[in-house]
């Protein structure tokens, strides 16, 4: 089987917590020739569906895959190709249905199983079922790791609030494929979400400790945040502190070039 879905979900681009799925135009390659696989009515119809899908006539392609499945319901190939067509048409329920069939019935075809899991992870993330996306990605990685699957799982973890896990997956994706710009966009989004969570925590701690300080009339040192990476130094900028009235504090740059954010009540 020669399908090569290149499905990159928020692992490629993150916009307002919205997953974006990019499937390459070469997702549908030519089906095996008659010399490699005995010609039958099912394979002929399947080949016609693949040809239509390659021309982006997805509805017509789905109709041909339907026929191929009716003629040979045990062949997982048309299910997987039909799932890709449904992905292009944003029909994520149908995508997952076809992928589940391949996962459950393609145990002798690990490559197809892994592709189905990757596509199902993408469809799950696109439909905001991030727990399912996480499960599918983890299972796909167990078969064979890839940068795209790590990116898919990073998306799921990010949206589930598991930011440390999301960052670890994104770093692994970048390590495996450092030339995909979308991975860096995703990492930036994870850093931003981590910064927002820390700013919220800082405000809560500052407010609580100001109240305690007022009650016992004793100055308290209430929060300290050290960021040693360039990304986090950007996230915790001086302007963020100056523009946050709830934080009474000072910003200091240490000799070690790390950013120490100390809020004194």
């Amino acid at each position: 089987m020669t399908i090569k879905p290149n499905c990159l979900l928020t692992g490629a681009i993150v916009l307002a917590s919205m997953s974006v799925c990019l499937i390459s135009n070469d997702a549908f390659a030519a089906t095996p020739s008659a010399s490699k696989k005995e010609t039958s009515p099912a394979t002929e119809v399947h080949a016609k569906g693949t040809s239509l899908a390659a021309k982006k006539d997805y509805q017509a392609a789905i109709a041909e895959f339907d026929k191929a499945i009716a003629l040979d319901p045990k062949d997982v190939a048309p299910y997987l190709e039909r799932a890709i067509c449904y992905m292009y048409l944003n029909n994520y329920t149908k995508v997952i249905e076809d992928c589940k069939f391949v996962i459950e019935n393609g145990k002798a075809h690990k490559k197809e199983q892994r592709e189905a899991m990757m596509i199902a992870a993408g469809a799950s993330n696109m439909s905001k079922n991030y727990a399912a996306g996480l499960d599918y990605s983890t299972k796909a990685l167990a078969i064979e790791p890839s940068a795209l699957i790590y990116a898919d799982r990073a998306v799921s973890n990010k949206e589930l609030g598991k930011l440390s896990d999301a960052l670890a997956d994104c770093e692994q994706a970048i390590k495996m494929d450092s030339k995909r710009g979308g991975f860096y966009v995703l990492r930036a989004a994870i850093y931003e979400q981590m910064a927002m969570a820390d700013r919220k925590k800082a405000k809560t701690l500052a407010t609580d400790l100001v109240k305690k300080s007022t009650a016992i009339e004793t100055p308290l040192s209430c929060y300290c945040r050290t960021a040693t990476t360039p990304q986090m130094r950007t996230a915790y900028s001086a302007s963020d502190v100056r523009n946050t009235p709830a934080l009474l504090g000072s910003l200091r740059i240490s000799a070690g070039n790390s950013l120490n954010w100390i809020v004194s009540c």
Side-chain angles (χ1 to χ4, degrees):
M1 187 171 176
T2 54
I3 299 175
K4 297 179 180 179
N6 180 14
C7 188
L8 181 54
L9 301 140
T10 331
I13 298 175
V14 180
L15 293 173
S17 299
M18 181 68 180
S19 294
V20 178
C21 183
L22 305 176
I23 307 177
S24 65
N25 291 332
D26 63 347
F28 301 93
T31 53
S33 65
S35 62
K36 295 182 179 180
K37 185 175 182 180
E38 183 180 352
T39 302
S40 70
T43 58
E44 290 177 358
V45 174
H46 180 188
K48 184 177 179 181
T50 300
S51 177
L52 289 166
K55 297 174 182 177
K56 302 183 181 182
D57 191 349
Y58 303 120
Q59 291 288 9
I62 287 171
E64 295 304 315
F65 292 138
D66 289 344
K67 296 175 185 177
I69 289 169
L71 291 168
D72 187 358
K74 293 182 180 181
D75 185 6
V76 299
Y79 285 94
L80 190 56
E81 293 191 56
R82 189 172 67 177
I84 297 173
C85 288
Y86 281 130
M87 181 70 90
Y88 274 111
L89 297 174
N90 302 324
N91 191 336
Y92 306 124
T93 299
K94 289 292 188 181
V95 172
I96 293 171
E97 286 179 3
D98 280 349
C99 287
K100 281 183 175 179
F101 180 88
V102 177
I103 293 167
E104 293 169 2
N105 297 277
K107 294 180 180 179
H109 308 280
K110 289 296 183 182
K111 180 181 178 182
E112 285 76 7
Q113 262 196 328
R114 174 177 169 273
E115 290 177 355
M117 290 171 183
M118 183 176 73
I119 296 168
S124 296
N125 283 348
M126 291 292 285
S127 56
K128 299 185 179 181
N129 187 352
Y130 301 112
L134 178 61
D135 183 59
Y136 283 123
S137 294
T138 300
K139 290 177 179 177
L141 286 169
I143 296 175
E144 184 182 347
S146 80
L148 292 174
I149 301 174
Y150 272 114
D152 280 345
R153 194 169 72 170
V155 172
S156 300
N157 277 320
K158 174 185 178 296
E159 299 304 330
L160 290 170
K162 300 179 180 180
L163 299 181
S164 295
D165 291 341
L167 185 58
D169 282 340
C170 190
E171 294 285 7
Q172 186 61 36
I174 291 172
K175 182 178 179 180
M176 295 180 75
D177 186 352
S178 62
K179 295 184 179 180
R180 285 187 180 272
F183 294 165
Y184 297 94
V185 175
L186 174 59
R187 186 170 67 177
I190 295 170
Y191 280 134
E192 181 180 359
Q193 193 167 328
M194 293 175 77
M196 290 174 64
D198 279 355
R199 283 196 290 268
K200 183 177 180 180
K201 182 67 174 179
K203 289 180 183 179
T204 300
L205 290 173
T207 300
D208 290 347
L209 289 172
V210 165
K211 290 178 181 178
K212 291 179 181 179
S213 177
T214 302
I216 63 177
E217 297 182 353
T218 303
L220 297 174
S221 179
C222 63
Y223 189 76
C224 178
R225 174 70 177 179
T226 300
T228 57
T229 66
Q231 294 89 348
M232 297 310 288
R233 286 201 294 275
T234 300
Y236 295 102
S237 64
S239 61
D240 285 337
V241 178
R242 288 197 296 270
N243 295 331
T244 307
L247 300 179
L248 306 175
S250 62
L251 189 67
R252 302 188 307 185
I253 303 297
S254 71
N257 200 32
S258 65
L259 179 61
N260 295 312
W261 181 3
I262 301 175
V263 180
S264 301
C265 300

